[in-house]
Amino acid sequence: MRGNSNTIRTHRAVTTVAALLAGALALTACSSSDDKKGSGDTSGGATASGSGVTLPKLNGASLEVAAVWTGTEQANFKKVLAEFEKRTGAKVTFVPAQDPIINFLGSKIAGGQPPDVALLPQPGAIKQAVDKKWAKPLGPDALKELQKNYSQGWQDIGKVDGKQYGVYYKAANKSLIWYNAKAFENAGAKEPKTWQELLTAAQAVYDSGVTPFSVGGADGWTLTDWFENVYLSQAGPQKYDQLAQHKIKWTDPSVKQALTTLAQIWGKKDYVAGGADGALQTEFPNSVTQTFTGGDQPKAAMVYEGDFVQVNIGDTKAKVGTDAKVFPFPAVGSTAPVVSGGDAAVILKDSKAAQALATFLASPDAATIQAKLGGYLSPNKNVPDSAYPNPVQQKIAKALIASGDDFRFDMSDQAPQAFGGTPGKGEWKDLQDFLKNPKDVAGAQAKLEKDAAAAYGNGS
């Protein structure tokens, strides 16, 4: 369905990125804990050493930018917008949006008040915005900046029908498991490289008196990410692409295998903090903070999610690299998975100011500012590694850029929003139901297939 989001990718390349990541994350132990250094520097040093992106003077212009970001992530992005204001003279207002952002934007547009630019977290949402004739194509300045700074793969997932609409300002490496170093040490647990080793580590942690996993089940997207990593590693890249486009059904045996594998953790008594009911009431930020508070008796020893977990660890006293460590999502099949996500800036009200902001967000100047603040990853290949605040983040960034076009984009983000991006519906709801009852694999598959067929508009 999303032709542009499925550039040809090779098994070898995915393996290479996994190897890069494994090597990168081995350096975790010696990473700097000074995550927040430079957080007062809103220029990020980009004016002196950045791309030298040329922006017009926009005195008197005003812009609204909508995104679903909250807390620290929102505060850090506002520093990027402040730099744009400083350079251009425009006034920029951040508009907090709700998930699903397409519905939020629909009500704004119906009321005659669309934001000028929106950050869309799914290729599926970009396509919907284009289909509804909300999105405006990028102009020549933004295109030039994009072509200079992004691999073809990252350009392509911002295209619809061959035309460029999105600038992928933010990326995510969604193949990481973060752990409480003290809890692992007390349990004598080692960083696992395979699924079986992960289960062994979990048992050791459990035997030491700590619950192995924290799961943010109140946010359905965390559950889709769990599934995608297991599925990509176990079923392989070709099947992953087929399922992402609904060319195979969710009743396929490969889905049964992945759900059965997930149930080895989700369905094991006392392996998930608070049990299934507790997990379903735990929002993502909480799933992180409860793993890194409570000293050596946290509510859980491990939490799965992307590089952005560092933002939430920053809300605790734990230091990345010493108290909070990380390892790549273990290989379930022959190869460890590498799943990416991202947020793209899309223009909804075409103007000189909106085009200038898209151009700025496509530049290393903008990304460097937020990179220095931590908890952020850019697909922009001209952001210097040194912009990231610690060796862990620097290596994660390096691995993402080294993957070039050979990454797998988050599967649920490629789906129509009704299936892959709506709270309480579709895949999010179906996996929440499965977390509650992991024994009913066939029932989960049937529900997933029914919802997918309705959203994709096909029965195959």
Side-chain angles (χ1 to χ4, degrees):
M1 171 167 171
R2 317 251 171 256
N4 289 316
S5 65
N6 283 299
T7 48
I8 297 164
R9 300 157 185 146
T10 66
H11 185 74
R12 179 196 57 74
V14 171
T15 310
T16 303
V17 183
L20 263 168
L21 263 179
L25 299 176
L27 292 181
T28 309
C30 59
S31 95
S32 158
S33 60
D34 297 337
D35 287 13
K36 295 174 186 171
K37 275 193 180 169
S39 59
D41 175 13
T42 57
S43 74
T47 25
S49 60
S51 69
V53 60
T54 307
L55 298 171
K57 283 292 167 202
L58 298 166
N59 296 334
S62 61
L63 286 171
E64 285 192 344
V65 181
V68 294
W69 298 331
T70 57
T72 314
E73 199 168 31
Q74 183 188 116
N76 289 353
F77 182 59
K78 283 180 176 175
K79 290 179 181 172
V80 177
L81 298 179
E83 177 66 13
F84 178 77
E85 289 181 320
K86 192 170 119 186
R87 293 196 194 186
T88 62
K91 180 170 169 39
V92 187
T93 305
F94 182 88
V95 179
Q98 287 84 44
D99 259 329
I101 194 168
I102 283 290
N103 295 6
F104 172 84
L105 295 175
S107 60
K108 285 278 186 190
I109 288 163
Q113 293 182 305
D116 299 86
V117 175
L119 276 295
L120 301 183
Q122 294 104 358
I126 299 175
K127 187 176 188 307
Q128 279 181 277
V130 172
D131 290 347
K132 291 172 185 288
K133 300 193 170 18
W134 297 348
K136 312 295 184 234
L138 295 180
D141 291 345
L143 283 175
K144 186 179 165 193
E145 204 60 32
L146 200 61
Q147 285 155 9
K148 189 164 67 176
N149 299 316
Y150 287 77
S151 75
Q152 194 61 49
W154 281 104
Q155 291 178 53
D156 286 349
I157 53 173
K159 288 179 182 174
V160 177
D161 299 328
K163 198 171 277 191
Q164 194 79 48
Y165 290 93
V167 170
Y168 269 88
Y169 170 70
K170 182 176 186 290
N173 175 338
K174 292 190 162 191
S175 298
L176 304 170
I177 294 180
W178 299 81
Y179 68 96
N180 183 308
K182 188 57 81 175
F184 255 51
E185 191 185 318
N186 291 348
K190 293 185 172 68
E191 289 191 2
K193 289 188 170 60
T194 66
W195 184 262
Q196 194 50 55
E197 288 175 6
L198 178 66
L199 297 179
T200 302
Q203 186 62 44
V205 166
Y206 175 76
D207 290 343
S208 77
V210 176
T211 304
F213 295 95
S214 176
V215 177
D219 294 312
W221 58 268
T222 64
L223 305 183
T224 69
D225 289 351
W226 265 103
F227 171 81
E228 286 155 11
N229 276 275
V230 170
Y231 190 82
L232 175 58
S233 184
Q234 201 170 52
Q238 284 182 312
K239 282 264 192 191
Y240 184 95
D241 290 342
Q242 289 170 347
L243 190 61
Q245 297 168 67
H246 202 223
K247 287 182 175 173
I248 56 173
K249 295 188 177 188
W250 284 80
T251 47
D252 191 83
S254 60
V255 176
K256 178 184 178 179
Q257 191 183 13
L259 291 174
T260 305
T261 300
L262 267 180
Q264 291 177 329
I265 288 173
W266 291 4
K268 182 122 174 156
K269 189 169 162 50
D270 303 329
Y271 259 32
V272 174
D277 290 343
L280 288 166
Q281 289 167 45
T282 304
E283 293 178 340
F284 163 68
N286 238 16
S287 73
V288 178
T289 53
Q290 71 180 14
T291 308
F292 298 104
T293 46
D296 62 357
Q297 286 295 308
K299 288 200 175 160
M302 289 178 269
V303 61
Y304 155 71
E305 252 314 334
D307 56 280
F308 45 84
V309 161
Q310 288 186 89
V311 173
N312 307 93
I313 294 173
D315 294 332
T316 73
K317 289 176 182 166
K319 298 291 179 205
V320 171
T322 49
D323 312 307
K325 295 185 182 181
V326 64
F327 54 84
F329 198 98
V332 189
S334 59
T335 309
V338 180
V339 178
S340 293
D343 297 86
V346 174
I347 294 170
L348 302 178
K349 277 168 74 176
D350 204 357
S351 66
K352 187 178 178 182
Q355 290 286 353
L357 181 60
T359 303
F360 182 57
L361 293 178
S363 76
D365 297 26
T368 297
I369 296 167
Q370 197 155 345
K372 288 191 170 197
L373 301 172
Y376 165 84
L377 193 59
S378 172
N380 187 316
K381 63 187 178 189
N382 289 320
V383 174
D385 295 337
S386 59
Y388 294 95
N390 60 58
V392 177
Q393 189 103 6
Q394 287 165 12
K395 297 293 183 177
I396 291 171
K398 208 179 272 189
L400 181 80
I401 298 306
S403 73
D405 301 338
D406 301 309
F407 55 88
R408 281 300 186 284
F409 205 87
D410 183 299
M411 188 190 292
S412 61
D413 287 354
Q414 296 182 54
Q417 195 134 354
F419 180 65
T422 305
K425 287 188 173 176
E427 190 184 358
W428 290 19
K429 174 70 163 65
D430 297 340
L431 288 178
Q432 285 173 323
D433 290 346
F434 179 65
L435 174 61
K436 202 167 190 174
N437 183 14
K439 289 192 176 118
D440 190 12
V441 172
Q445 283 187 271
K447 274 198 276 190
L448 284 158
E449 176 52 31
K450 185 183 172 194
D451 290 339
Y456 282 86
N458 63 26
S460 60

